[in-house]
Amino acid sequence: MRNDAKLVLIDKHQVEALLMPDHVVEAVREAFALHSQGEGRVFPVVREPLVTGGVFGIKSGDVQSQALLGFKAAGFWPANRGLGGEPHQATIMLIDPKTGRPVCVIDGNAITTMRTGAAGGLGLTLLARPDSTSLCVFGTGVQARVQVSFALRVLERLSVVRYVTVDGQRDASFEAHFDGRCEVSHSTDRNAAVAESDVVITATPGSGPLFDAQAVRPGTHLNCVGADTKGKRELPDGLLKRVRLFVDDRTQAREIGETQWAPDTACIEIGDLITGRLPANRQPDDITVFDMTGIALQDLTVARLLHERACETGGATSLAWPW
């Protein structure tokens, strides 16, 4: 009955208790596969600046065969730092495609962090050289940490991590986070850090190129996270002309990702590697780039996973939501 309808709420603490990295990886893998197979749709992205200084966006999509429909309202509010809060904010809503009624509202911050890290891990699994031993990461924030964490999970020989900060200063908390898991060192020479690394991860606000194009050696793989809005970038001019480019969604990457700066660059969607539609065919001297803009299907498959688990375990709040 309509008067018996319920709305499930899953807050920050409940999400963090339910999120399991291995399960998130499988959900993200499914999202990319559904996209490749044409079963999962990604709708046009909304991404707009606000007079408050924030950026507000909506990513939405569906999987009609699975009755999966929803969106993530998210963005970046830098002033939150002054309030002692996280500048990235996200809320996910799952909707019943038969009625249009909301089914579940979920705090999306931890989901966004984890699903982006999982996507980065899949990119490394599919594209980085298996014998990679060294990594350079630009940034030391939440996303930089989760990207490095997944890199350590999937690259068995990875043992050296160099990090570069915006202000050129050491970040003791970043080093402590990975203490005992790898050799961590701060680098003040950006180009040298890139040249000496097998894998490069860029996880910054995307304010401009982070290093020179000639610093990238043959055989390097790059996961690029920070360019997710028109005008943002982390890679230098000319680099995309030298690389084999992989994206999560071709249209979205050309609109808001690194690919916006060279939209005519040939690219392959990562889902096509997962489904086997196209081979990675990576050669030892190839420079590969994974332009990670984040697609709605990642959020929806992970949100569905959490919704199901929360209902099974009672790890959520249920409200009467009659109509």
Side-chain angles (χ1 to χ4, degrees):
M1 297 294 292
R2 290 186 298 172
N3 287 339
D4 295 332
K6 301 290 185 182
L7 176 64
V8 175
L9 305 179
I10 309 178
D11 68 25
K12 162 188 168 66
H13 302 297
Q14 293 163 338
V15 168
E16 291 174 348
L18 292 167
L19 274 178
M20 301 296 170
D22 289 342
H23 296 157
V24 173
V25 169
E26 290 310 307
V28 171
R29 184 188 298 273
E30 180 189 10
F32 289 145
L34 288 167
H35 190 37
S36 171
Q37 294 160 347
E39 293 186 43
R41 297 191 296 174
V42 173
F43 305 148
V45 172
V46 173
R47 191 80 172 170
E48 298 294 338
L50 305 175
V51 294
T52 60
V55 177
F56 175 70
I58 296 176
K59 290 181 177 179
S60 57
D62 73 354
V63 184
Q64 296 183 74
S65 63
Q66 299 182 3
L68 180 61
L69 170 68
F71 66 87
K72 179 173 75 176
F76 187 73
W77 283 265
N80 283 2
R81 291 193 180 98
L83 303 173
E86 167 59 42
H88 290 93
Q89 289 297 318
T91 303
I92 299 171
M93 180 179 287
L94 298 178
I95 297 170
D96 182 349
K98 295 180 181 178
T99 64
R101 296 289 293 175
V103 174
C104 184
V105 176
I106 311 176
D107 186 290
N109 288 1
I111 291 176
T112 300
T113 298
M114 186 75 78
R115 64 84 152 145
T116 308
L122 286 171
L124 294 176
T125 300
L126 294 165
L127 299 170
R129 299 196 329 268
D131 62 350
S132 296
T133 60
S134 58
L135 178 152
C136 168
V137 59
F138 286 82
T140 59
V142 172
Q143 192 51 236
R145 296 183 187 201
V146 76
Q147 290 292 327
V148 174
S149 293
F150 271 95
L152 290 168
R153 287 170 62 92
V154 303
L155 296 176
E156 295 182 357
R157 297 182 61 183
L158 182 61
S159 59
V160 175
V161 172
R162 302 176 182 88
Y163 71 95
V164 181
T165 55
V166 174
D167 59 8
Q169 301 299 309
R170 284 186 57 200
D171 186 329
S173 65
F174 181 84
E175 294 181 14
H177 188 77
F178 295 103
D179 185 40
R181 299 173 64 188
C182 58
E183 176 188 325
V184 185
S185 62
H186 176 238
S187 179
T188 57
D189 188 330
R190 298 169 177 235
N191 288 330
V194 170
E196 294 167 1
S197 299
D198 302 309
V199 171
V200 176
I201 296 173
T202 60
T204 75
S207 303
L210 298 171
F211 49 85
D212 296 334
Q214 60 266 30
V216 182
R217 294 184 295 112
T220 304
H221 172 72
L222 299 91
N223 271 357
C224 302
V225 185
D228 59 1
T229 305
K230 289 181 180 178
K232 283 190 174 186
R233 70 182 310 177
E234 296 177 305
L235 298 184
D237 284 334
L239 181 60
L240 290 185
K241 296 178 181 178
R242 297 170 50 203
V243 312
R244 296 188 63 215
L245 177 62
F246 298 83
V247 301
D248 42 24
D249 178 84
R250 187 174 289 104
T251 299
Q252 192 169 292
R254 288 171 176 165
E255 291 177 349
I256 63 174
E258 286 295 339
T259 311
Q260 69 183 285
W261 302 101
D264 295 331
T265 305
C267 61
I268 294 173
E269 291 186 345
I270 202 80
D272 289 343
L273 303 185
I274 291 171
T275 59
R277 292 184 64 190
L278 292 172
N281 217 11
R282 192 195 205 289
Q283 302 303 309
D285 286 341
D286 285 342
I287 299 173
T288 50
V289 169
F290 182 22
D291 187 3
M292 302 169 53
T293 57
I295 62 174
L297 293 173
Q298 295 170 249
D299 300 304
L300 298 185
T301 54
V302 176
R304 178 184 59 191
L305 172 70
L306 294 188
H307 179 219
E308 293 172 349
R309 185 166 296 161
C311 291
E312 291 170 357
T313 63
T317 302
S318 182
L319 300 178
W321 204 255
W323 60 293

